[in-house]
Amino acid sequence: MSPPFSSGVYVSRGVALLLAGLTAVLLLVLVALAALYGSCAHVQPSEQDSPRVKDTVLSPPGGQEWAQPTPALEATVGTSQDWRPPSGPWDHLRLPPWLVPLHYDLELWPRLRPDNLSTPSLTFTGRVNITVLCTVATSRLLLHSFLLSYKQVEVWGPLARDTRNATVGRVLVEKVWFAQDMQYVVLDLGQSLEPGSSYELNLDFSGQVLEVGSEGLFLNLYTDEDELRALIATQMEPTFARHVFPCFDEPALKATFNITIIHHPGYVALSNMPQLGQSERIDVNGSRWTVTTFCTTPRMPTYLVALAVCDFDHISRTERGKEIRIWARKDDIANGYLDFAANITGPIFSFLEDLFNVSYPLPKTDIIALPAFVNGAMENWGLMVFDESSLLLEPEDELTVKRAMILSIVSHEVGHQWFGNLVTTSWWNDIWLNEGFASYFEVGLTNYFYPKVPTEDHALEPRAVSTPGGNFTETREISRLFDIYTYKKGACMAWMLASFLSQHLFINALKSYLETFSYSNAEQDDLWRHIQMATWIVPIFWMKNGITQPLVWLDKSSMMFPGMKLSDSDSDWVILNLNVTGYYRVNYDELGWKKLNQQLEKDPKAIPVINRLLLLSDAFTLSKHNYIEIETALDLTKYIAEEDEILVWFEVLVNLINREVIYDVKNYALYPLLKKYLLKRLNSIWNTYSAIIRENVASLQDNYLSLNFHWKSFLKLPVGWVLKTVSSCPESSSENGWLIQKHVILPQIEKVVLCNAIAVGSDKDWDFLFNLYINATEEEDGLHLVHAMSCSKDPWILNRFMEYAITVVPSHFNDTNIIEAVAASEVGRYVAKDFLMDNWVAVTERYGTQWLDALLRILGRTVSTDQQVTELQRFLATVLEEHQRIVAQAKLQAMKTENLKNKKRIARVVEWLRKNT
């Protein structure tokens, strides 16, 4: 307690009671304010943290005179998250159609300084003036906003069409609050906006630059010329623009942008458009900053907004009068590592311009090679972003392989300049229109420039069998659309269309599509309408008894083709979808499958290799969806000892030796039977290729087409458990240590050998790889080593690896994959489950709740009974919010159902193997 005072002021009892009452009220107010402040959506930055300078006041459109605001018009910003109406448009993923954005004046000021790279957290401030058209009378405005704080929010209008002598009024903003679930900032106005009128929304905001990852505005730390350096770049797709500035963050809401970047004078600023001008700004500390403004963009969605602040060098090329610059580390530019990428980019643009007869509309193209970019590459209009590993051609690279890879990735992103940027999907459920056609032209351009280099044609993997749904309920569900199926589906569709329409008609349909929807948005039905101008019924290319048959068309009137009917003759068989030109699965009747099985055992080469692959792919896929019995698919593998094509072997093994089957300890009956069945048939092809590798390593480069590509495909197989039994893989711990530490491993087999060496090696071998990992400078090397280290069979090592992942692993890599890699390993799934349940708080603090889906997949791999589901649900109930628990419960139940289905399927596989091994 405090010491007593010797003197004081004396009051009457009544006054004392009054003062006591007032004190109690004051305390209640203070407690309420403290609680309110503690639950605010965002803490407002201080003047010191976010210096304001004289000329940063948001100003109205040029030439207009503003009515003077009064103090009563000041809005309440950052109102408690607990306050919100019971329901409304903020509960839905899609914005209400009340406002249409027309133009953004966007200014961003990231506080990156080359002399202060050790700052624990990097902030940015910004301001945006958004001109909008009101379509429905409303007094409540919604914009997308996530992890942003606001200092000033104003609404002005209605804007007069003649602005020379107009006076614009200010609309009262009574309250600003946040609907965090759907990532909205909500403005409650004192009056309704008028339909048909334009308004301007002025928002002054601040946020954090991410130190890890590639979402929104993020930082790269790297070394160049033997110095630690830093840069800032952006990734807005699909829903990360709202992390950088308040906006209408949907692909259909296109607008023009005037972008201004304030940056340190030692850096260069890049954005979508060419630089318009530069000026100087002095902050409150007297520091000088450069203000770079850029020309107005075409109409484009928010996810294509891009900027970078760096001190890279660049090389320049000119193609048809337009400059193409590639920016990268000074060392890499000086060494010529970007020359190949610079030389091919212009011809790719020209090829597609000529093909579509639609010119690239922007006056320049910048390409920046980031030291670390998790997304790999991004097609932003005028400023494409790449991970540098996708662009650099170094002397030690396998030239043909790396050149083809660079060409492929650049072609994909350039293809997006038309499919995605010029014509944009209306909503994310049609994103395959962007990614699929970019993937299709990626293959076509690679074949055009390197005709002898095989590409992984999308028709070889027709596993994307459904259109992604559009009934999303959460923002993070959008990101899950960007998977291999989305990319493959559109490419397969394009492949089929080009095959039966002819290339000429197909390209003409695409030209019409691009011309109609340029600078606008489209849905998949819009594409079909332009395709149907040529035709749209399903083409059936087919073969009977080894002879190619005339094309037939499948429509509503042609459900039966007499020529395809089979007789009892042993030599009578048919193959549909010859050369896989159609985007569909083929299911034969029982006799049809039997005849094909007999033909494979009799003479497999009579069936083209791509159709042998498709037969296996179709059969296993159809069996998984209960169209045919699993035994029908298994019967097709009996001939496989005579198969000398690695791609067909790949299809067999990827369906039989997947991690869900082999790495489940409960499948002990399957493991030895499957191993015996496959090894008996695998030895021939394995010995053939391993002998070639050992005898003539130099041929890998010279004979790329016939050997290197197929060898690499073979080594993608999940056959580590098989490789342990062949002589070319190490067995003893001492030999493992020598192999690992001397690193005397062919790059083509490094991943497989390292995995198996760690699996049978010592903890010292594992420690050696971990030291390589924490000192790795390239993300690709890091991922390679993560895979190898997760192959350990020792639970304590795997547990320690995950401990490292949340404590000491370098943060410049996307190290969330460590726990996922462990969970996918032979013994790691149960170790990972226990680790997650014991370390949930630490894991989510490190990676955030956006990783919840991956965590649930890891946990869900271990459940196949109601008791196991209940156990996990009880655990999740203690760590998740209510809406997350509901989603998690549904997913766990679905996983349990799938696991039980797999268990029954595996039992039938075991029985078949007993009869056929």
Side-chain angles (χ1 to χ4, degrees), residues 6 35 264 467 566:
S6 59
H264 189 274
T467 303
L566 296 176

Side-chain angles (χ1 to χ4, degrees), residues 58-225:
L58 287 170
S59 54
Q64 293 190 4
E65 303 243 346
W66 296 102
Q68 291 298 315
T70 64
L73 296 179
E74 294 299 324
T76 303
V77 182
T79 304
S80 169
Q81 294 181 36
D82 295 332
W83 181 89
R84 61 186 296 175
S87 63
W90 43 85
D91 297 318
H92 301 285
L93 187 63
R94 301 290 297 270
L95 282 164
W98 304 334
L99 299 179
V100 177
L102 304 176
H103 177 76
Y104 294 77
D105 283 310
L106 173 63
E107 177 183 284
L108 291 172
W109 187 350
R111 300 310 202 273
L112 178 66
R113 302 174 59 93
D115 55 352
N116 191 21
L117 300 183
S118 60
T119 303
S121 62
L122 190 64
T123 63
F124 68 91
T125 56
R127 58 181 182 174
V128 65
N129 300 340
I130 312 175
T131 304
V132 298
L133 175 66
C134 178
T135 60
V136 177
T138 178
S139 60
R140 180 165 276 156
L141 311 185
L142 275 70
L143 290 85
H144 283 112
S145 175
F146 190 63
L147 301 178
L148 296 175
S149 301
Y150 291 88
K151 193 165 188 177
Q152 179 175 298
V153 178
E154 297 175 339
V155 176
W156 295 86
L159 304 181
R161 296 182 179 179
D162 183 1
T163 61
R164 288 173 294 182
N165 298 308
T167 299
V168 178
R170 184 175 178 183
V171 180
L172 173 64
V173 181
E174 293 183 334
K175 188 187 296 290
V176 179
W177 56 279
F178 300 93
Q180 298 284 38
D181 290 347
M182 296 302 171
Q183 303 179 352
Y184 292 131
V185 59
V186 184
L187 281 60
D188 286 338
L189 309 181
Q191 65 188 71
S192 293
L193 304 187
E194 301 172 5
S197 296
S198 296
Y199 294 83
E200 188 168 271
L201 317 181
N202 300 161
L203 301 101
D204 216 348
F205 56 92
S206 62
Q208 292 288 127
V209 177
L210 294 181
E211 297 178 29
V212 180
S214 296
E215 298 178 359
L217 195 63
F218 62 90
L219 181 72
N220 266 195
L221 290 174
Y222 63 98
T223 57
D224 193 11
E225 297 180 327

Side-chain angles (χ1 to χ4, degrees), residues 814-870:
N814 181 29
D815 48 25
T816 58
N817 60 68
I818 288 178
I819 301 178
E820 292 184 88
V822 169
S825 70
E826 186 169 347
V827 298
R829 64 174 60 195
Y830 298 97
V831 179
K833 172 194 170 185
D834 291 341
F835 179 84
L836 286 175
M837 295 180 72
D838 293 339
N839 299 275
W840 185 274
V841 174
V843 170
T844 53
E845 284 181 353
R846 176 73 185 252
Y847 304 127
T849 56
Q850 67 271 17
W851 203 47
L852 180 60
D853 288 337
L855 299 182
L856 288 174
R857 285 196 301 272
I858 291 169
L859 295 173
R861 289 188 180 122
T862 65
V863 300
S864 59
T865 67
D866 288 330
Q867 181 180 355
Q868 292 168 334
V869 172
T870 301

